[in-house]
Amino acid sequence: MKFRAAVTNVKHFYQVAQSIEKVAKKCIIRLSPASIEIICPNGNEEGVQVWSKINQEDLFSDYRVQSNAADTICAEIATDALVQVLRDLASSGKVETRETVMKLAKKGTDAVFTFETRDHDQTWAKGLTVSHSVRVQMIRPVEMEKVKEPLCPDPDVHIVTPPLKEMRVVLDRLKAYSSKIRFSANNSGELTLSAETDDGEELKTTWTDLVHPTIEAGEDAPPREAPDLGQHFGALMSAASLLKFMNTAVITPTTCIACICENHCLIMYVYIGEVLEQNGILTFYLPARLTGDED
Amino acid sequence: MSGAPRKEVLVAAMQDVRPLAGILRGVHFSDKKRATIAISEEGLMVTVEYNKLLLASAYLFEQMFNEYTYTKPVLTDGEAEEGFSPILEINLSLLLSALDVFGGAGLGSVIISDKDKVSKGRARRDDWDGNGMDRVEPDDRKKATAMRLTWLGKGHPLCLHLTDAPNVSTVCELTTFEPDPAMDVPFDNGKVAARIIMKSSWLRDALSEIDPKSSKLTMICTPPQAHGSNRGGKRKATFKLKAVGNLGTTTMDYPDDKDVLEVAEFRSEEPVSFTYPFECIAKSVPALRNSLKTSLRIDSEGILSLQFMIPFRQHRMSKDKGVARSQNFIEFMCASLFDD
């Protein structure tokens, strides 16, 4: 089992780790020849799961991974430790002359990811090397097979959201009305966030002129009836889980696509960088809350 | 609301909610979330009570709005009552949250850059910043939130429509409640024992010096005639604040100088001294921050009236040709404590 790669895009790696840290204490890193996946499968107390997949070329160069399980390595790591290391890396030396290598190593009986940074710039501490190790828990392929991405029905709506920071401000105010927020959208560019108090006070914010991405239907997908474009599909969400998700606004630039499976869940695709660059996607699954009197 | 079967009792609109939010914050005390709103041709009066000790009202004159229409509701018995004005009760916290839905009312939690705080001429000791008045210059970082408020009348919710960009809008419906009987603070305008007008910053700075845990604040107003120049020594201050806290006693003297006390009038030559719960007076700090001048009056029974003048940019001329209003105000009324 071998892994070694030069980290070329510390900024993106750090931003991804920061986003994930907000959601879960631990995550699984799955390294395979094509991509690095960062997964929080167990969800946090709000049941939010993250499944992210980043092309290895976006973060690394000289990327080498080898194992008996289709050259794939899975390890569990504490997200705060990862964030701390990446924060240090992001601030040591200069981006232009810095070289960081990440590799899987052994420290005593523990498996660790080590991050070694050297700066070629002679003025920077004359080639001093900074090394960090983070302990990881290796996950065997058998165990990894049990970790499955949640199954969701075909979403009723796909929509490019307003900037997450903008939605976050609104969400903060909606929270004063209720801890449950209704997230809904239609197929003609509208997205609505609303909350209602027990006394019947309601606050409702609607964005219009949003864009719908073109989604290729799966081969086996049954032909859907032409939908009523104006019909809103919604899910009742816990404000806390939405706020946790909105914190991923740390990734810049970003585009976020929301998919609503009515009264079931919200799937958020957060693109790292521009969508067309295809750097990678963080996928957040946010389960809907159920209420007795809901619909 | 076009095509609504009945005409709105109230329509009030403005292009930037900051002045409104700034004033409402001056009467927003966390313990009592409900506020009454009295609607009249002249404007709105928003009133809250605090612990049955303090009555605070914000007077919002119609000229501060870009649009203001009040249509007298028709009473069920068909007779228009003289001087009748509708009063409704709403949850003030929710109203403030709605006004700040786009972060355009400066309620905090939306980041105010440090640079901004430092670059302002006046040193700021705390975080009450972000009202509509201190920042007269357009704020580049945040677009203005425009508001349109409507009320169809008794039994209907108070509706707000807010927007800060062409493609986003917020609708808010606030349930209106039957107001509880208002607390009565019988200030006697005919028996004003002392009246003082000063810059709000003078009072605000003094209040911020006082130990927040102090329980009582004594206001001592001494007419110049009572100074007794025979001693030849120090003249007594015309206005004095004295707070007793855990750590000791704090006193603040305001000299009888026109630069400090623009007006100091007394009904008699006797000094006026009354004590008030400090927590009530301390509640005025957000209102003070928003205001330029403060008028302080104490009647012969010790009832205190503090009026904080808050100028606004006038958007419309008065309907009647009377005095054009250019400032709103917040009034705090508080009865004195009995002497120990």
Side-chain angles (χ1 to χ4, degrees):
Chain A
M1 216 184 278
K2 278 179 190 164
F3 169 73
R4 189 183 193 281
V7 185
T8 48
N9 199 336
V10 175
K11 184 187 149 205
H12 274 167
F13 201 172
Y14 176 43
Q15 288 179 345
V16 169
Q18 266 186 303
S19 304
I20 287 173
E21 186 202 14
K22 307 247 164 64
V23 175
K25 289 193 170 65
K26 282 180 175 180
C27 65
I28 297 171
I29 294 185
R30 176 154 64 190
L31 301 155
S32 58
S35 63
I36 165 170
E37 286 166 84
I38 302 181
I39 303 164
C40 306
N42 298 323
N44 58 4
E45 59 273 27
E46 275 95 31
V48 179
Q49 292 192 31
V50 189
W51 289 73
S52 57
K53 194 166 189 169
I54 304 153
N55 293 332
Q56 50 98 344
E57 295 96 343
D58 178 49
L59 299 182
F60 305 105
S61 65
D62 299 326
Y63 180 92
R64 273 173 292 162
V65 58
Q66 277 176 15
S67 82
N68 295 331
D71 290 332
T72 298
I73 293 173
C74 297
E76 192 177 59
I77 188 167
T79 46
D80 57 345
L82 183 64
V83 166
Q84 225 171 337
V85 168
L86 292 169
R87 186 188 301 131
D88 269 15
L89 294 187
S91 58
S92 350
K94 280 187 286 187
V95 183
E96 304 81 40
T97 52
R98 177 177 64 198
E99 190 176 82
T100 300
V101 171
M102 175 181 172
K103 60 188 178 193
L104 182 65
K106 261 206 152 159
K107 206 174 191 181
T109 54
D110 293 333
V112 291
F113 276 138
T114 63
F115 295 82
E116 264 182 26
T117 299
R118 278 184 58 198
D119 198 306
H120 296 301
D121 186 349
Q122 290 303 310
T123 58
W124 189 73
K126 296 222 166 105
L128 179 79
T129 303
V130 180
S131 175
H132 295 278
S133 297
V134 185
R135 202 157 65 93
V136 295
Q137 180 79 47
M138 302 309 293
I139 300 176
R140 288 181 297 149
V142 199
E143 292 167 52
M144 200 55 206
E145 271 174 39
K146 292 180 198 153
V147 180
K148 292 222 168 66
E149 213 165 332
L151 279 174
C152 297
D154 266 356
D156 298 289
V157 187
H158 298 78
I159 193 163
V160 176
T161 67
L164 296 182
K165 278 178 193 160
E166 205 175 306
M167 286 207 287
R168 214 213 122 99
V169 174
V170 171
L171 205 54
D172 259 336
R173 297 300 164 224
L174 286 170
K175 219 173 49 180
Y177 285 67
S178 173
S179 61
K180 285 176 182 159
I181 312 285
R182 185 155 192 88
F183 191 111
S184 79
N186 66 11
N187 282 292
S188 61
E190 275 181 28
L191 187 152
T192 299
L193 292 178
S194 62
E196 208 176 309
T197 66
D198 293 337
D199 283 332
E201 283 111 345
E202 193 190 23
L203 189 61
K204 184 167 155 184
T205 298
T206 302
W207 285 266
T208 55
D209 306 327
L210 299 173
V211 174
H212 296 282
T214 43
I215 302 294
E216 292 148 30
E219 285 169 32
D220 302 327
R224 287 194 133 196
E225 284 175 38
D228 170 4
L229 293 181
Q231 190 194 341
H232 267 257
F233 296 94
L236 198 62
M237 311 299 297
S238 92
S241 71
L242 280 177
L243 277 171
K244 279 214 165 126
F245 163 72
M246 300 286 172
N247 285 328
T248 55
V250 291
I251 297 179
T252 51
T254 183
T255 303
C256 173
I257 293 177
C259 303
I260 302 168
C261 305
E262 189 164 44
N263 297 329
H264 184 85
C265 74
L266 203 59
I267 308 167
M268 297 289 205
Y269 296 108
V270 177
Y271 287 80
I272 301 162
E274 300 298 332
V275 176
L276 291 174
E277 287 172 16
Q278 299 199 328
N279 291 323
I281 304 178
L282 296 185
T283 309
F284 291 77
Y285 293 91
L286 292 84
R289 290 278 169 270
L290 299 173
T291 54
D293 53 5
E294 178 67 4
D295 290 330
Chain B
M1 278 291 162
S2 61
R6 52 187 290 189
K7 195 161 161 47
E8 294 93 348
V9 170
L10 174 71
V11 177
M14 61 203 312
Q15 277 158 7
D16 186 349
V17 297
R18 269 176 296 184
L20 175 65
I23 294 176
L24 291 179
R25 240 175 305 157
V27 293
H28 180 231
F29 315 132
S30 52
D31 94 301
K32 170 85 177 173
K33 286 180 177 169
R34 297 260 184 101
T36 61
I37 302 179
I39 306 169
S40 69
E41 272 154 20
E42 284 163 82
L44 306 175
M45 182 175 88
V46 180
T47 304
V48 297
E49 290 171 19
Y50 174 74
N51 278 356
K52 296 281 171 206
L53 292 170
L54 172 70
L55 188 70
S57 299
Y59 292 80
L60 301 154
F61 291 103
E62 51 110 359
Q63 290 87 356
M64 83 176 295
F65 297 96
N66 295 91
E67 183 191 342
Y68 187 93
T69 319
Y70 166 63
T71 311
K72 215 168 202 174
V74 182
L75 295 174
T76 36
D77 55 11
E79 276 179 63
E81 204 177 309
E82 198 59 38
F84 169 82
S85 83
I87 300 179
L88 50 107
E89 191 170 281
I90 54 134
N91 182 318
L92 185 60
S93 302
L94 294 181
L95 173 60
L96 279 166
S97 289
L99 291 176
D100 198 39
V101 69
F102 301 121
L107 291 198
S109 121
V110 176
I111 309 104
I112 295 170
S113 73
D114 293 335
K115 196 185 95 201
D116 188 61
K117 276 186 190 164
V118 177
S119 67
K120 286 284 159 58
R122 244 176 301 162
R124 304 219 181 275
R125 231 166 273 160
D126 39 22
D127 293 313
W128 293 106
D129 204 359
N131 59 60
M133 206 202 70
D134 276 354
R135 307 176 171 199
V136 182
E137 80 278 19
D139 190 338
D140 303 332
R141 283 170 291 105
K142 194 62 217 169
K143 288 167 288 182
T145 300
M147 176 204 78
R148 187 177 173 84
L149 185 147
T150 54
W151 189 50
L152 273 173
K154 201 175 168 185
H156 291 271
L158 190 70
C159 295
L160 282 109
H161 187 267
L162 299 141
T163 183
D164 83 333
N167 75 325
V168 57
S169 67
T170 294
V171 178
C172 173
E173 288 196 356
L174 293 175
T175 310
T176 54
F177 305 90
E178 275 296 315
D180 288 333
M183 176 182 148
D184 186 30
V185 186
F187 185 84
D188 191 341
N189 276 307
K191 286 184 183 165
V192 176
R195 174 169 168 262
I196 284 168
I197 294 177
M198 66 175 127
K199 279 205 187 75
S200 294
S201 55
W202 290 114
L203 185 57
R204 188 183 73 199
D205 289 350
L207 292 180
S208 61
E209 296 291 335
I210 294 172
D211 175 9
K213 290 197 184 75
S214 303
S215 61
K216 291 174 186 176
L217 181 73
T218 304
M219 296 192 178
I220 304 151
C221 308
T222 312
Q225 299 90 321
H227 284 149
S229 51
N230 52 344
R231 284 295 186 93
K234 271 197 286 180
R235 282 163 61 89
K236 279 184 190 163
T238 301
F239 180 55
K240 185 172 183 161
L241 291 174
K242 186 173 145 196
V244 180
N246 295 335
L247 304 172
T249 302
T250 314
T251 57
M252 244 80 59
D253 290 352
Y254 292 79
D256 188 17
D257 181 333
K258 278 275 181 278
D259 286 341
V260 180
L261 304 177
E262 290 175 28
V263 173
E265 290 171 0
F266 297 88
R267 193 177 154 84
S268 73
E269 292 185 7
E270 289 304 303
V272 179
S273 169
F274 289 100
T275 300
Y276 303 93
F278 179 65
E279 53 171 343
C280 290
I281 311 299
K283 287 271 178 287
S284 70
V285 170
L288 280 167
R289 185 160 303 276
N290 235 341
S291 82
L292 275 188
K293 284 184 186 177
T294 297
S295 156
L296 178 153
R297 294 178 303 157
I298 298 174
D299 78 2
S300 54
E301 298 299 314
I303 293 175
L304 172 72
S305 153
L306 287 166
Q307 291 183 336
F308 310 112
M309 305 303 165
I310 301 166
F312 61 86
R313 199 181 303 151
Q314 201 172 333
H315 287 289
R316 289 160 38 254
M317 297 308 290
S318 296
K319 281 194 195 102
D320 52 31
K321 302 282 188 295
V323 189
R325 301 266 190 192
S326 63
Q327 49 185 13
N328 293 312
F329 66 92
I330 290 176
E331 181 166 36
F332 275 42
M333 305 257 257
C334 181
S336 66
L337 296 166
F338 295 109
D339 289 330
D340 291 329

